[in-house]
Amino acid sequence: MRDLLDFLARGLVEEPDAVHVEEIEEIEGEVILELEVAEDDLGRVIGRGGRIANALRTVIKAAATPAEKRVMVDILD
């Protein structure tokens, strides 16, 4: 799921080398993915009204369903 988020984010931004995804394992199988992008690309990843951010979260949650893990995506600014 980390690689999927990295791939999707790199496709959205103008500075793909600045994309960094960190995976944090929490208790009870919960995983938090922290997405960090260049400051100028933050708007591209969040989108108008948070639509792109919500779409990214939906895709990652769908990918996590077969693994029976709960995944949360945090976008760091």
Side-chain angles (χ1 to χ4, degrees), residues 12-73:
L12 292 171
V13 298
E14 285 192 14
E15 295 181 46
D17 293 335
V19 173
H20 179 71
V21 178
E22 186 174 341
E23 184 173 331
I24 302 171
E25 285 277 339
E26 292 289 321
I27 306 169
E28 301 172 9
E30 184 176 297
V31 177
I32 298 174
L33 297 175
E34 292 183 340
L35 174 62
E36 190 171 355
V37 297
E39 188 175 333
D40 293 339
D41 289 329
L42 196 56
R44 287 183 174 85
V45 174
I46 295 174
R48 183 171 291 164
R51 288 182 183 171
I52 294 176
N54 287 336
L56 286 172
R57 290 181 177 113
T58 301
V59 169
I60 298 301
K61 284 181 183 180
T65 300
E68 296 182 5
K69 288 190 175 184
R70 186 168 175 232
V71 179
M72 298 179 64
V73 177

